[in-house]
């Protein structure tokens, strides 16, 4: 960890390896450039498997620090709950110790939000396996666990606009529910603009009011900004 500290003291940016842990893939990209690398994940994925996979994927890469996006709540730089869509053993896992590198761990929606942020009050919503959410207000990032709030018939937002909702209701109804959920959250949270990302945003041919399309690759930029943007507070 001394190498990154020396770079920081010298005023130069450390080389950041961003790790995006998703329900279908674990993806990495270095701030030094190169190609994105990935391996499949899945419902039995454990944190030990992530560490082993990332070390294998990153062979040949030089990096000083790591940013990680985790699909669940984070406290004190560690997962605070096991994720709904992956395996067990995540709660309290110490990634910095496992990698023997400085690690900044944030919720995966917040990571993509940071990479998409253009100032002001921004709400980020990620349409994927579930529903990711985060807000950034004047450079202060706040992950939000909105997915499991009640919505209709005893079911949650995620049940209607996540992957399960898309499969159950079909694309036409799913789009209607997405617009309704976005409208409700806009009214409640009063953002200046909304970024809608995640793998299923491509299934929207139109976007709700005051919204723009996100891109999953912005998560990598978010990881780089975690170490480089001194104005950012997370």
């Amino acid at each position: 960890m001394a190498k990154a500290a020396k770079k920081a003291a010298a005023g130069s940016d450390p080389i950041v390896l961003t790790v995006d842990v998703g329900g279908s893939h674990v993806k990495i990209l270095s701030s030094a450039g190169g190609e994105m690398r990935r391996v499949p994940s899945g419902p039995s994925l454990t944190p030990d498997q992530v560490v082993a996979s990332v070390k294998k994927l990153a062979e040949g890469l030089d990096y000083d620090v790591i940013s990680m996006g985790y699909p669940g709540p984070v406290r004190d730089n560690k997962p605070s709950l096991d994720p709904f869509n992956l395996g067990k053993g995540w709660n309290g896992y110490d990634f910095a110790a496992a990698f023997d590198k400085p690690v900044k761990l944030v919720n995966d929606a917040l990571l993509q939000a940071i990479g998409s942020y253009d100032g002001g009050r921004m709400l980020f919503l990620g349409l994927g396996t579930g529903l990711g959410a985060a807000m950034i207000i004047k450079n202060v990032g706040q992950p939000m666990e909105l997915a499991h709030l009640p919505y209709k018939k005893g079911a949650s937002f995620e049940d209607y606009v996540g992957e399960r909702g898309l499969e159950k209701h079909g694309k036409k109804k799913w789009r209607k529910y997405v617009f309704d959920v976005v409208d409700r959250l806009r009214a409640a949270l009063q953002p200046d603009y909304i970024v809608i990302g995640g793998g299923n945003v491509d299934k929207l041919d139109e976007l709700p009011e005051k919204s723009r399309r996100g891109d999953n690759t912005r998560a990598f930029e978010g990881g780089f900004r975690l170490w480089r943007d001194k104005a950012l507070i997370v």
Side-chain angles (χ1 to χ4, degrees):
M1 297 189 184
K3 185 178 178 183
K6 287 180 181 178
K7 280 199 172 185
S12 59
D13 287 329
I15 299 173
V16 183
L17 184 72
T18 298
V19 180
D20 187 13
V21 180
S24 57
H25 291 91
V26 175
K27 297 173 281 190
I28 70 167
L29 184 69
S30 168
S31 62
E35 296 292 321
M36 185 266 286
R37 304 177 183 184
R38 68 180 187 174
V39 293
S41 59
S44 63
L45 186 72
T46 67
D48 285 334
Q49 290 171 343
V50 168
V51 172
S53 294
V54 169
K55 287 181 176 179
K56 182 72 174 175
L57 284 174
E59 285 180 356
L61 298 179
D62 182 29
Y63 56 97
D64 305 308
V65 296
I66 297 172
S67 294
M68 290 188 70
Y70 168 71
V74 173
R75 185 176 294 276
D76 298 326
N77 210 39
K78 297 175 183 177
S80 59
L81 284 175
D82 284 346
F84 282 90
N85 301 310
L86 299 177
K88 302 297 183 183
W90 296 81
N91 189 0
Y93 191 90
D94 190 343
F95 283 100
F99 282 113
D100 193 29
K101 294 271 190 181
V103 173
K104 290 188 178 183
L105 181 75
V106 297
N107 173 265
D108 59 345
L110 180 57
L111 194 70
Q112 193 173 153
I114 292 167
S116 306
Y117 183 59
D118 290 328
R121 296 171 57 93
M122 183 194 78
L123 172 64
F124 173 84
L125 297 172
L127 302 174
T129 306
L131 173 65
M135 280 200 81
I136 303 181
I137 301 175
K138 296 182 179 179
N139 290 307
V140 178
Q142 177 61 53
M144 307 181 79
E145 292 295 318
L146 303 177
H148 304 288
L149 293 177
Y151 178 46
K152 289 177 181 287
K153 300 178 181 179
S156 68
F157 285 137
E158 182 172 278
D159 291 327
Y160 277 81
V161 302
E163 189 70 36
R164 291 189 304 273
L166 178 60
E167 292 173 358
K168 179 178 179 179
H169 300 290
K171 191 183 294 185
K172 184 176 180 180
K173 285 187 176 179
W174 175 81
R175 286 172 174 167
K176 176 184 172 184
Y177 293 133
V178 168
F179 269 65
D180 185 50
V181 167
V182 171
D183 286 345
R184 289 170 185 244
L185 294 176
R186 182 192 303 109
L189 301 171
Q190 296 292 298
D192 298 325
Y193 59 102
I194 300 171
V195 175
I196 302 177
N200 284 334
V201 68
D202 292 339
K203 296 180 173 65
L204 295 175
D205 51 2
E206 297 179 0
L207 294 178
E209 180 185 354
K210 293 185 178 178
S211 299
R212 64 177 170 84
R213 199 174 299 272
D215 185 328
N216 280 353
T217 62
R218 299 303 297 176
F220 296 119
E221 176 62 26
F224 306 154
R225 285 186 182 182
L226 269 180
W227 288 95
R228 295 178 170 181
D229 188 343
K230 306 306 181 188
L232 186 66
I233 301 172
V234 295

